[in-house]
Amino acid sequence: MRPSVLDPLFAPITALPGIGPRLRPLYDRLLGRDGSPARVVDLVLHLPHTVIDRRWRPKLAEVRPGVLATVEVTVDQHRPPPPGRAKAPWRVHTHDDTGDLSLVYFKGDKTRLERLYPVGERRIVSGTVEMYDGMLQMAHPDRVVSVEDAASLPALEPVYPLTEGLALGHLRRAAAAALARLPALPEWQDAAHLARNRWPPFTDALRTLHAPAAPEDLDPESPAWRRLAYDELFAGQLALQLLRSHMRREPGRRSLGDGRVRDRLIKALPFVLTASQQQAVADISADLAADTRMIRLLQGDVGAGKTVVALIAMAQVVESGRQAALMAPTEILARQHFSTIARFAEAAGLRSALLTGREKGRTREAIVSALAAGELDIVVGTHALFQDDVAFKDLAFAVVDEQHRFGVHQRLALASKGEAVDLLVMTATPIPRTLVLTYFGDMDISSLTEKPAGRLPIDTRTVPLERLPEVVDAVGRAVASGARVYWVCPLVEESSEVDLAAAEDRAALLRTRFGTRVGLIHGRLKGSEKDAAMASFAAGDTAILVATTVIEVGVDVPEATVMVVEHAERFGLAQLHQLRGRIGRGDKPSTCLLLYKGPLGETAKARLAILRDSEDGFRIAEEDLRLRGEGDVLGTRQSGFPGFRLARLESHGALLPAARDEAAAALAGDPALASERGRALRVLLHLFERTEAVRLLQAG
Ligand code: ADP
Ligand code: MG
């Protein structure tokens, strides 16, 4: 049972003012965990990634182009677009005692602008200033207030990661409303430890991050952020340790199998397993056959062939008359795994099915009852597999494709659907070796270190955006020779509307040349529409798929041999690497064109160069980490710990050993978490939704 003090946080997001049925889906998409509706807590833990600093109040003579400034000016004159030039902007001429500034509005509305800027009055305007025709100008100021209202202009405004269609201002107001509802929580950390680190209380830390008093407050190294990250890591370590002691108490079962299904399966594969795939299969097979429970991590870069390894292991369990499940974090990924698995499983006589949130009504009932009756051997799905009415006849093996999202509790939830379930966690996140054990706990590890044979290296090139016409020509040649092309448009988090427009514009531009052979996929589409777009690309009906990164380009299309990424400089390296992993999967050479908008800084250049020169996910991750220290701000969201919301590998990894030791100490002194601090720790576990761990605790 969740302590009632947390109720306001676990209320649906619609409990907040201003979030009704229209906006709810957007908040769900941005914040919903594993497809479930967003709650207040999800917003509270959704931290800004940067701040806009409006504290600089220069005179116009001091303003520097390209820099955000907040200036006080007097309105001189309105200049509507000249007749017949509807595309020209509306200009408002202003000055202060040191210079002139022209405010520029494209598609400006006369009534609104004349009301906003009465001639002769003074206004404080804030925005980015640029030079145009020798004139200082500011296009679409972010903020305009009268001098009397100066106090209403916030000095620092948090900027949050957004989703298509959700306005920053709305999210800011919602976050402020959510913070206002923070309940008073008991302190769960050791007072001396807090004092030593000068860490604030949990709720103060949250307030600091959402309403920073200085940009430094939003640094992952700030006391506020470190405090929160530590709490999260601590909760994770508590949960892991509870799980471990629980699993140690419960013996495993042997799933020996007789090899018949595995033989058929391996014969049906149109390729030979790599040496490291064979090694991983052998490791897992031995674990399944042993009478202890398996907790193993299967690590391997995108495309290394993890799914096939998992499938062979599943076959062994099925030979033993039992069932296996594979869970993926998103529907697209679940579908991809299922398509890989179903293709080979059928040939081996394995009965498999897919169960996600989209299987409904009769279809779903049929799958659920077949699972319970043992008429299905393998089920692949999303979090939909956790639902209470999903029961197995005899689940013996759970595979969890972690892909950054699941935490311990979800692995447990799946494991609790069977008896002594063996657990395999798959991850493509290259976690530095030193951290694997601490982060994942006592897990055994198998690594896929080589790419499947026959894969050709991807020719990666960096190309300035100005050469777009040549890129389009090259794409034309590739398409003419039968290639399939992913065209990825970036997500600029400040303005997701604009992003979608950018992808739509790009698709429109490409359609003028390639007509109906151009498909478009983005986060605003319904699940079935996304599937349809992916399916026509996979079938070759469309040859160019324009995508925003809101969608994971997650489906395996071996014929796709070209990827164009626009504004590659805006992406995290890990994300680019993951994206690029979608090509180079077949037996034809592949090309990845990273289009960047120059001029690039030294770090940005170095980052793209790493990607150009390497296809090794581990190396890329390490170099990325190294360069991050040099002031890169973009792409930080990709660097989270898998399964964690606030803790970041590079900034907070060093806190892990302390979290592990303190968690062990807390449990050693109070194994049932029954003391006053123990009860506070239960609140912490619930807050970070390590609820399955609490359940184990109650079971004793
Ligand atoms: P991962 O899950 O590690 O990203 P997958 O298991 O999805 O990789 O494999 C990617 C693709 O490579 C799939 O189409 C799969 O059938 C294929 N594949 C897997 N192993 C091999 C192999 N040894 N040789 C050739 N192709 C392989
Ligand atoms: Mg896979």
Side-chain angles (χ1 to χ4, degrees):
M1 271 288 280
R2 185 192 308 130
S4 58
V5 64
L6 291 176
D7 288 350
L9 286 175
F10 284 86
I13 196 95
T14 46
L16 296 173
I19 306 182
R22 193 177 64 82
L23 288 172
R24 203 192 70 190
L26 297 181
Y27 280 94
D28 286 350
R29 189 165 73 214
L30 179 66
L31 304 170
R33 306 269 288 159
D34 311 321
S36 40
R39 302 147 310 172
V40 176
V41 67
D42 300 314
L43 184 55
V44 164
L45 299 181
H46 184 65
L47 299 183
H49 59 143
T50 178
V51 285
I52 298 174
D53 187 347
R54 301 199 190 280
R55 292 175 302 177
W56 192 46
R57 297 288 180 90
K59 288 288 184 188
L60 286 176
E62 302 163 318
V63 160
R64 291 191 299 273
V67 174
L68 186 125
T70 304
V71 292
E72 186 176 328
V73 293
T74 304
V75 179
D76 297 324
Q77 191 189 14
H78 283 255
R79 282 285 193 86
R85 291 190 49 213
K87 287 224 165 133
W90 184 290
R91 291 181 175 272
V92 183
H93 289 197
T94 72
H95 75 276
D96 72 2
D97 50 16
T98 68
D100 299 319
L101 173 70
S102 159
L103 307 174
V104 178
Y105 286 86
F106 291 90
K107 297 190 191 164
D109 176 65
K110 175 177 161 59
T111 324
R112 189 177 81 87
L113 289 174
E114 287 178 346
R115 197 178 307 143
L116 200 57
Y117 298 104
V119 170
E121 290 203 14
R122 293 202 299 166
R123 288 289 179 266
I124 296 172
V125 293
S126 185
T128 305
V129 177
E130 56 218 9
M131 287 298 274
Y132 183 78
D133 255 358
M135 268 281 285
L136 268 189
Q137 71 168 33
M138 187 187 286
H140 299 260
D142 306 334
R143 297 275 167 173
V144 184
V145 295
S146 65
V147 177
E148 300 76 63
D149 289 340
S152 74
L153 190 73
L156 289 162
E157 292 181 279
V159 180
Y160 293 89
L162 291 171
T163 186
E164 289 176 7
L166 187 60
L168 180 57
H170 197 278
L171 186 78
R172 271 194 202 128
R173 283 190 297 278
L179 281 186
R181 290 168 183 230
L182 277 183
L185 298 171
E187 182 54 73
W188 41 73
Q189 296 298 1
D190 175 56
H193 190 246
L194 290 177
R196 244 191 336 273
N197 288 289
R198 297 176 197 277
W199 284 344
F202 178 80
T203 44
D204 291 3
L206 272 179
R207 290 204 175 91
T208 300
L209 288 168
H210 283 284
E216 300 79 68
D217 285 343
L218 258 189
D219 188 330
E221 307 287 348
S222 73
W225 201 325
R226 284 172 74 82
R227 157 79 214 236
L228 298 182
Y230 187 78
D231 282 339
E232 187 177 35
L233 294 172
F234 192 87
Q237 288 297 318
L238 267 182
L240 266 176
Q241 292 177 27
L242 286 164
L243 161 69
R244 221 175 298 156
S245 58
H246 175 80
M247 282 196 132
R248 236 184 272 131
R249 279 201 298 273
E250 209 183 298
R253 293 192 290 169
R254 294 172 176 279
S255 291
L256 273 171
D258 54 15
R260 276 180 313 147
V261 186
R262 271 170 288 170
D263 284 350
R264 275 205 301 266
L265 184 60
I266 290 169
K267 282 212 191 77
L269 294 178
F271 45 75
V272 287
L273 297 178
T274 64
S276 55
Q277 278 176 319
Q278 281 171 17
Q279 184 58 50
V281 166
D283 293 345
I284 299 166
S285 170
D287 285 355
L288 291 171
D291 62 2
T292 49
R293 287 176 76 173
M294 166 166 80
I295 316 179
R296 181 175 288 277
L297 182 69
L298 177 59
Q299 226 181 2
D301 218 341
V302 265
K306 295 183 290 294
T307 315
V308 172
V309 170
L311 177 61
I312 296 169
M314 289 175 161
Q316 176 170 343
V317 171
V318 176
E319 286 164 9
S320 311
R322 298 171 184 156
Q323 292 164 300
L326 187 159
M327 183 175 66
T330 65
E331 193 175 310
I332 282 193
L333 286 168
R335 278 175 199 280
Q336 176 186 334
H337 282 304
F338 183 66
S339 72
T340 306
I341 281 178
R343 195 163 65 210
F344 305 131
E346 204 170 326
L350 291 164
R351 299 163 297 178
S352 61
L354 177 71
L355 185 61
T356 72
R358 294 245 313 280
E359 278 66 45
K360 293 207 173 84
R362 289 245 178 81
T363 318
R364 183 174 185 284
E365 273 164 38
I367 296 169
V368 170
S369 75
L371 267 181
E375 289 154 10
L376 277 173
D377 303 312
I378 293 173
V379 65
V380 178
T382 54
H383 64 286
L385 293 175
F386 296 144
Q387 278 152 359
D388 281 339
D389 65 334
V390 177
F392 291 79
K393 175 141 187 282
D394 188 2
L395 178 69
F397 181 36
V399 182
V400 179
D401 181 0
E402 184 129 63
Q403 301 271 6
H404 303 249
R405 302 218 195 151
F406 292 120
V408 185
H409 69 291
Q410 277 136 324
R411 303 178 207 156
L412 275 167
L414 194 56
S416 68
K417 296 221 177 250
E419 189 199 327
V421 174
D422 284 313
L423 192 64
L424 181 71
V425 179
M426 305 199 290
T427 178
T429 315
I431 303 167
R433 283 225 153 256
T434 46
L435 280 178
V436 170
L437 274 182
T438 331
Y439 165 55
F440 284 100
D442 272 346
M443 282 184 130
D444 299 306
I445 302 169
S446 297
S447 295
L448 301 186
T449 50
E450 68 234 290
K451 289 210 168 196
R455 293 270 174 82
L456 299 161
I458 299 171
D459 179 12
T460 301
R461 301 178 192 196
T462 53
V463 184
L465 206 53
E466 295 82 63
R467 287 172 53 195
L468 187 71
E470 288 166 58
V471 172
V472 175
D473 286 343
V475 162
R477 286 192 299 275
V479 168
S481 69
R484 242 157 279 167
V485 180
Y486 286 113
W487 190 298
V488 182
C489 296
L491 182 69
V492 188
E493 289 164 332
E494 272 81 341
S495 165
S496 43
E497 290 286 348
V498 178
D499 293 335
L500 179 55
E504 278 170 344
D505 283 356
R506 185 57 74 226
L509 179 99
L510 292 169
R511 274 181 187 133
T512 60
R513 172 139 173 200
F514 304 107
T516 56
R517 306 227 53 210
V518 180
L520 174 63
I521 186 165
H522 55 76
R524 217 52 96 68
L525 296 178
K526 286 206 219 57
S528 55
E529 292 167 333
K530 282 186 211 164
D531 283 355
M534 275 320 305
S536 16
F537 185 62
D541 298 336
T542 52
I544 303 173
L545 185 63
V546 179
T548 61
T549 47
V550 197
I551 69 117
E552 278 147 284
V553 186
V555 175
D556 200 16
V557 182
E559 294 82 2
T561 52
V562 180
M563 176 171 284
V564 178
V565 183
E566 281 192 54
H567 285 290
E569 79 282 359
R570 295 184 188 163
F571 288 84
L573 280 193
Q575 192 182 14
L576 283 175
H577 177 63
Q578 295 270 345
L579 279 170
R580 185 174 57 179
R582 295 297 143 204
I583 57 171
R585 293 183 156 235
D587 49 11
K588 298 233 176 59
S590 293
T591 308
C592 177
L593 299 176
L594 302 174
L595 270 50
Y596 64 87
K597 175 122 169 48
L600 289 183
E602 285 307 313
T603 309
K605 260 190 216 147
R607 292 171 76 248
L608 291 184
I610 294 168
L611 212 71
R612 192 186 55 213
D613 299 339
S614 177
E615 275 187 61
D616 176 346
F618 284 85
R619 201 191 134 214
I620 291 170
E622 267 166 30
E623 293 282 316
D624 198 13
L625 222 71
R626 195 175 58 74
L627 287 173
R628 285 244 169 121
E630 296 166 25
D632 174 43
V633 281
L634 287 161
T636 42
R637 276 210 302 158
Q638 276 70 50
S639 61
F641 272 112
F644 287 80
R645 315 177 76 169
L646 306 172
R648 307 259 169 110
L649 184 63
E650 73 275 24
S651 311
H652 307 126
L655 295 174
L656 257 172
R660 178 197 55 202
D661 295 347
E662 288 243 331
L667 283 173
D670 179 16
L673 296 185
S675 66
E676 192 186 336
R677 173 156 191 231
R679 284 198 302 277
L681 287 173
R682 285 170 184 250
V683 174
L684 173 69
L685 285 168
H686 277 285
L687 182 65
F688 286 104
E689 297 176 78
R690 310 300 192 193
T691 28
E692 286 297 323
V694 187
R695 207 179 49 77
L696 289 180
L697 205 61
Q698 278 151 353

mmCIF file of all heavy atoms in Angstrom, residues 29 92 125 128 140 165 220 261 281 298 380 422 552 608 626:
data_model
loop_
_atom_site.group_PDB
_atom_site.id
_atom_site.type_symbol
_atom_site.label_atom_id
_atom_site.label_comp_id
_atom_site.label_asym_id
_atom_site.label_seq_id
_atom_site.Cartn_x
_atom_site.Cartn_y
_atom_site.Cartn_z
ATOM 1 N N ARG A 29 1.903 11.605 -23.413
ATOM 2 C CA ARG A 29 2.977 11.218 -24.320
ATOM 3 C C ARG A 29 4.330 11.660 -23.774
ATOM 4 O O ARG A 29 5.314 10.937 -23.849
ATOM 5 C CB ARG A 29 2.734 11.820 -25.698
ATOM 6 C CG ARG A 29 3.697 11.278 -26.727
ATOM 7 C CD ARG A 29 3.234 11.586 -28.118
ATOM 8 N NE ARG A 29 3.421 12.987 -28.382
ATOM 9 C CZ ARG A 29 2.613 13.725 -29.140
ATOM 10 N NH1 ARG A 29 1.556 13.173 -29.691
ATOM 11 N NH2 ARG A 29 2.855 14.985 -29.331
ATOM 12 N N VAL A 92 8.325 47.192 -35.829
ATOM 13 C CA VAL A 92 8.058 48.225 -34.832
ATOM 14 C C VAL A 92 9.407 48.862 -34.525
ATOM 15 O O VAL A 92 10.319 48.185 -34.050
ATOM 16 C CB VAL A 92 7.443 47.630 -33.546
ATOM 17 C CG1 VAL A 92 7.108 48.744 -32.559
ATOM 18 C CG2 VAL A 92 6.204 46.803 -33.883
ATOM 19 N N VAL A 125 11.500 44.595 -23.575
ATOM 20 C CA VAL A 125 11.378 43.438 -24.463
ATOM 21 C C VAL A 125 12.584 42.530 -24.252
ATOM 22 O O VAL A 125 13.697 42.991 -24.007
ATOM 23 C CB VAL A 125 11.278 43.832 -25.959
ATOM 24 C CG1 VAL A 125 9.984 44.552 -26.247
ATOM 25 C CG2 VAL A 125 12.464 44.654 -26.396
ATOM 26 N N THR A 128 16.277 37.359 -28.524
ATOM 27 C CA THR A 128 17.606 37.299 -29.117
ATOM 28 C C THR A 128 17.732 38.379 -30.181
ATOM 29 O O THR A 128 16.870 38.520 -31.037
ATOM 30 C CB THR A 128 17.857 35.914 -29.730
ATOM 31 O OG1 THR A 128 17.638 34.952 -28.714
ATOM 32 C CG2 THR A 128 19.273 35.799 -30.249
ATOM 33 N N HIS A 140 10.276 38.478 -33.197
ATOM 34 C CA HIS A 140 9.346 37.843 -32.260
ATOM 35 C C HIS A 140 9.899 37.784 -30.837
ATOM 36 O O HIS A 140 10.279 36.708 -30.363
ATOM 37 C CB HIS A 140 8.974 36.428 -32.733
ATOM 38 C CG HIS A 140 8.291 36.417 -34.056
ATOM 39 N ND1 HIS A 140 6.934 36.304 -34.191
ATOM 40 C CD2 HIS A 140 8.778 36.540 -35.320
ATOM 41 C CE1 HIS A 140 6.608 36.351 -35.473
ATOM 42 N NE2 HIS A 140 7.707 36.498 -36.181
ATOM 43 N N GLY A 165 3.456 19.740 -29.913
ATOM 44 C CA GLY A 165 2.128 20.274 -29.626
ATOM 45 C C GLY A 165 1.968 20.872 -28.238
ATOM 46 O O GLY A 165 0.974 21.522 -27.955
ATOM 47 N N PRO A 220 23.819 19.379 -13.171
ATOM 48 C CA PRO A 220 23.674 18.085 -12.487
ATOM 49 C C PRO A 220 24.585 17.963 -11.260
ATOM 50 O O PRO A 220 24.333 17.150 -10.380
ATOM 51 C CB PRO A 220 24.084 17.079 -13.561
ATOM 52 C CG PRO A 220 23.860 17.776 -14.854
ATOM 53 C CD PRO A 220 24.096 19.235 -14.602
ATOM 54 N N VAL A 261 13.976 -28.549 -30.207
ATOM 55 C CA VAL A 261 13.468 -27.296 -30.774
ATOM 56 C C VAL A 261 14.630 -26.375 -31.142
ATOM 57 O O VAL A 261 14.645 -25.735 -32.182
ATOM 58 C CB VAL A 261 12.507 -26.594 -29.786
ATOM 59 C CG1 VAL A 261 11.882 -25.377 -30.442
ATOM 60 C CG2 VAL A 261 11.440 -27.562 -29.311
ATOM 61 N N VAL A 281 24.690 -17.820 -25.885
ATOM 62 C CA VAL A 281 23.709 -18.908 -25.851
ATOM 63 C C VAL A 281 24.161 -19.972 -24.850
ATOM 64 O O VAL A 281 23.368 -20.467 -24.035
ATOM 65 C CB VAL A 281 23.519 -19.517 -27.259
ATOM 66 C CG1 VAL A 281 22.778 -20.844 -27.179
ATOM 67 C CG2 VAL A 281 22.760 -18.546 -28.155
ATOM 68 N N LEU A 298 22.444 -9.296 -20.909
ATOM 69 C CA LEU A 298 22.977 -9.528 -22.253
ATOM 70 C C LEU A 298 23.199 -8.161 -22.882
ATOM 71 O O LEU A 298 22.256 -7.435 -23.187
ATOM 72 C CB LEU A 298 21.986 -10.351 -23.079
ATOM 73 C CG LEU A 298 22.386 -10.622 -24.545
ATOM 74 C CD1 LEU A 298 23.710 -11.371 -24.641
ATOM 75 C CD2 LEU A 298 21.287 -11.407 -25.258
ATOM 76 N N VAL A 380 5.450 -11.996 -26.669
ATOM 77 C CA VAL A 380 6.262 -10.789 -26.749
ATOM 78 C C VAL A 380 5.319 -9.630 -26.483
ATOM 79 O O VAL A 380 4.194 -9.622 -26.968
ATOM 80 C CB VAL A 380 6.863 -10.639 -28.162
ATOM 81 C CG1 VAL A 380 7.675 -9.351 -28.278
ATOM 82 C CG2 VAL A 380 7.730 -11.840 -28.499
ATOM 83 N N ASP A 422 13.550 -17.391 -14.441
ATOM 84 C CA ASP A 422 14.896 -16.962 -14.815
ATOM 85 C C ASP A 422 14.797 -15.661 -15.596
ATOM 86 O O ASP A 422 13.886 -15.473 -16.406
ATOM 87 C CB ASP A 422 15.580 -18.029 -15.680
ATOM 88 C CG ASP A 422 16.045 -19.214 -14.848
ATOM 89 O OD1 ASP A 422 16.670 -18.975 -13.792
ATOM 90 O OD2 ASP A 422 15.774 -20.359 -15.253
ATOM 91 N N GLU A 552 10.816 6.259 -32.516
ATOM 92 C CA GLU A 552 12.029 5.512 -32.691
ATOM 93 C C GLU A 552 11.959 4.864 -34.053
ATOM 94 O O GLU A 552 10.975 4.236 -34.374
ATOM 95 C CB GLU A 552 12.136 4.435 -31.635
ATOM 96 C CG GLU A 552 12.659 4.989 -30.354
ATOM 97 C CD GLU A 552 12.062 4.260 -29.186
ATOM 98 O OE1 GLU A 552 10.890 4.534 -28.888
ATOM 99 O OE2 GLU A 552 12.750 3.434 -28.621
ATOM 100 N N LEU A 608 31.081 14.971 -33.985
ATOM 101 C CA LEU A 608 30.663 14.369 -35.247
ATOM 102 C C LEU A 608 31.784 13.515 -35.833
ATOM 103 O O LEU A 608 31.534 12.485 -36.456
ATOM 104 C CB LEU A 608 30.208 15.443 -36.231
ATOM 105 C CG LEU A 608 28.893 16.140 -35.854
ATOM 106 C CD1 LEU A 608 28.475 17.114 -36.942
ATOM 107 C CD2 LEU A 608 27.767 15.133 -35.603
ATOM 108 N N ARG A 626 33.604 12.002 -22.388
ATOM 109 C CA ARG A 626 34.791 12.827 -22.225
ATOM 110 C C ARG A 626 34.512 14.241 -22.746
ATOM 111 O O ARG A 626 34.821 15.223 -22.096
ATOM 112 C CB ARG A 626 35.939 12.191 -23.027
ATOM 113 C CG ARG A 626 37.315 12.706 -22.682
ATOM 114 C CD ARG A 626 38.370 11.918 -23.450
ATOM 115 N NE ARG A 626 38.191 11.971 -24.901
ATOM 116 C CZ ARG A 626 38.465 13.030 -25.642
ATOM 117 N NH1 ARG A 626 38.929 14.114 -25.096
ATOM 118 N NH2 ARG A 626 38.273 13.003 -26.961
#
